[in-house]
Amino acid sequence: MKIGLYGYENAGSTTLFNAITGFNIPTGFSGDRQQTHLGTVKVPDPRLDVLTGLYNPKRTIHAELVFTDFPAASREKKALSNIQEAKSMDLLVLLVGAFSSDGQKPDPVGELENLLTEMVIVDLEHVSKYLEKQRKLPASAAGKDPRLVALVERLLPHLENGLPLRSFGLTSEEETALRGFSFLTLKPALAAINVDETRLSEKPDEAMDRLAEHHRVRPFLLSARVEEEIGRLAPEDQELFLADLGLTEKLSGRLLRAAYDLANLMCFFTVGPDEVRAWTIEKNTPAKQAAGVIHSDLEKGFIRAEVFTYDDIVEVKGNEAELKKRGKVRLEGKDYIVRDGDILHVRFNV
Ligand SMILES: Nc1nc2c(ncn2[C@@H]2O[C@H](COP(=O)(O)OP(=O)(O)O)[C@@H](O)[C@H]2O)c(=O)[nH]1
Ligand SMILES: [Mg+2]
């Protein structure tokens, strides 16, 4: 899963990136503002720690997310650099500055509106170009898909009205048909509002809420600088600091959970003496596709999956033989919908 950070200069995107990844990239004008930064973050999951205790494996592998901090957009030009790369992201974090700095009045609502509008324009241009190309093709042209063209035609007025495709009301079949376009305004997005730490427990104001609702993005309050500082403390001190701010968890944990929720993601596990590992899939994924996340051979040669739940294996302290005796190990076929916390042994043949 790939998460892209976008925002205007000085909104604090590189500071946020440092807070999440633990990196120490120079921020503000001391940094190289044209550089793109990439960082991998382990998804914390207490269940994985418990399973590690039960199986005592050679290695434990967390689910991982990759964060990309794109160069900040220039306020004068408005344009977002690398906006085309947003198409390959699974989730967007649109960061706006709401903290006070040198007497300058922040304008988080205006910033967010610009970012969101920019994304509508990218999709609108994509749709217009596609339709223009299709119109020029003879009816008999290979690969012509009149149903897809008709669907895309229906999207045009919606985008022309400045609305995101998230609010179009697409059916899941239509969404699948449109996947190849990678529309930006269909991607799950967090509106990350970078506030002073004293305002962390406040709610986003009404104008912000209205805008976020209009574009179907989820507001998320954070304080990048203070979280960056907390990240540099010893773990014991981190908890104290967080508690002082009225928080129970570091930014990376909160943000990752919001991302999983918004993108409709969940984890299943594989276990054994070599490796205990968490895997990320979308909710409602059938067993065969879930196996494909582990390895394409497991999907191709999928026969069945032995499935048991995290809670059940914890109850028998990792004793799978005992679990079988109790009839708690199921044999599931390719269409079984994998659930959060399921543990899978995939049987396959290639
Ligand atoms: N007061 C305050 N300053 C911040 C905060 N986040 C970032 N900054 C400062 O804003 C400047 C720009 O930050 P940077 O992360 O480089 O912004 P970017 O241009 O969006 O990547 C730096 O001087 C940061 O220290 C914050 O939450 N509070
Ligand atoms: Mg930056």
Side-chain angles (χ1 to χ4, degrees):
M1 155 114 164
K2 293 195 271 185
I3 301 185
L5 307 182
Y6 280 95
Y8 287 102
E9 278 169 357
N10 289 330
S13 125
T14 302
T15 308
L16 171 62
F17 178 81
N18 283 341
I20 297 167
T21 58
F23 285 3
N24 203 353
I25 311 275
T27 56
F29 292 103
S30 55
D32 176 352
R33 317 207 66 155
Q34 296 313 310
Q35 191 94 45
T36 297
H37 309 112
L38 268 175
T40 302
V41 179
K42 290 191 174 116
V43 180
D45 191 333
R47 297 174 298 184
L48 202 59
D49 304 329
V50 173
L51 290 172
T52 298
L54 295 179
Y55 282 87
N56 201 18
K58 291 193 193 117
R59 56 180 179 271
T60 298
I61 303 183
H62 287 74
E64 286 181 343
L65 298 183
V66 181
F67 277 87
T68 305
D69 171 31
F70 289 102
S74 135
R75 263 163 232 278
E76 291 81 57
K77 288 192 234 143
K78 282 202 184 162
L80 288 167
S81 44
N82 305 67
I83 197 163
Q84 292 301 329
E85 284 179 48
K87 285 189 171 286
S88 67
M89 298 290 133
D90 302 299
L91 184 135
L92 305 172
V93 174
L94 308 177
L95 183 72
V96 295
F99 55 88
S100 40
S101 69
D102 314 331
Q104 277 176 10
K105 204 169 163 356
D107 178 21
V109 177
E111 271 181 34
L112 182 63
E113 186 151 31
N114 283 344
L115 291 171
L116 291 167
T117 305
E118 198 77 38
M119 307 225 156
V120 173
I121 291 171
V122 170
D123 284 354
L124 180 58
E125 280 171 357
H126 195 166
V127 160
S128 309
K129 273 199 196 127
Y130 170 80
L131 290 175
E132 199 183 295
K133 208 163 142 197
Q134 291 296 316
R135 266 183 226 118
K136 285 187 194 146
L137 285 180
S140 58
K144 191 140 182 166
D145 183 346
R147 280 181 57 195
L148 184 60
V149 174
L151 171 60
V152 175
E153 253 160 11
R154 280 167 49 218
L155 306 179
L156 192 62
H158 192 78
L159 290 165
E160 280 169 343
N161 284 329
L163 294 166
L165 296 177
R166 290 180 209 96
S167 65
F168 186 82
L170 291 164
T171 64
S172 56
E173 288 78 22
E174 288 170 335
E175 274 201 37
T176 309
L178 293 170
R179 219 163 248 171
F181 290 89
S182 304
F183 287 125
L184 298 185
T185 65
L186 263 186
K187 290 186 188 291
L190 288 176
I193 310 159
N194 191 6
V195 296
D196 287 316
E197 68 254 35
T198 51
R199 291 180 45 209
L200 269 176
S201 52
E202 287 177 19
K203 285 207 172 82
D205 64 31
E206 221 174 281
M208 182 61 90
D209 263 341
R210 232 180 299 128
L211 177 64
E213 168 63 31
H214 187 69
H215 280 269
R216 303 284 202 274
V217 299
R218 186 184 296 180
F220 183 93
L221 256 64
L222 60 91
S223 182
R225 181 182 268 176
V226 75
E227 294 272 5
E228 185 191 34
E229 284 162 7
I230 290 172
R232 302 220 172 89
L233 300 173
E236 322 72 272
D237 297 334
Q238 292 189 357
E239 278 185 28
L240 285 174
F241 252 82
L242 287 166
D244 259 0
L245 295 167
L247 299 171
T248 52
E249 193 184 5
K250 277 198 289 185
L251 175 63
S252 52
R254 284 199 297 134
L255 189 69
L256 293 178
R257 233 159 351 88
Y260 266 66
D261 188 39
L262 199 60
N264 215 17
L265 300 176
M266 51 161 260
C267 282
F268 73 91
F269 305 102
T270 51
V271 294
D274 283 334
E275 184 182 285
V276 162
R277 183 161 183 169
W279 305 89
T280 305
I281 53 172
E282 247 177 68
K283 286 180 189 158
N284 294 314
T285 300
K288 190 172 178 216
Q289 269 105 293
V293 174
I294 303 171
H295 196 286
S296 54
D297 282 352
L298 269 63
E299 182 169 357
K300 259 184 266 158
F302 184 92
I303 302 169
R304 257 183 242 284
E306 272 183 37
V307 183
F308 47 92
T309 70
Y310 168 81
D311 288 336
D312 285 344
I313 195 69
V314 171
E315 199 178 308
V316 297
K317 301 191 174 60
N319 185 341
E320 288 185 22
E322 173 62 23
L323 209 56
K324 277 195 182 132
K325 234 191 278 165
R326 295 189 187 184
K328 297 250 172 98
V329 178
R330 291 166 276 139
L331 267 183
E332 302 282 6
K334 63 180 172 45
D335 296 326
Y336 168 72
I337 300 296
V338 179
R339 278 182 251 155
D340 189 43
D342 272 354
I343 299 168
L344 266 65
H345 291 307
V346 177
R347 293 190 191 166
F348 70 109
N349 187 3
V350 279

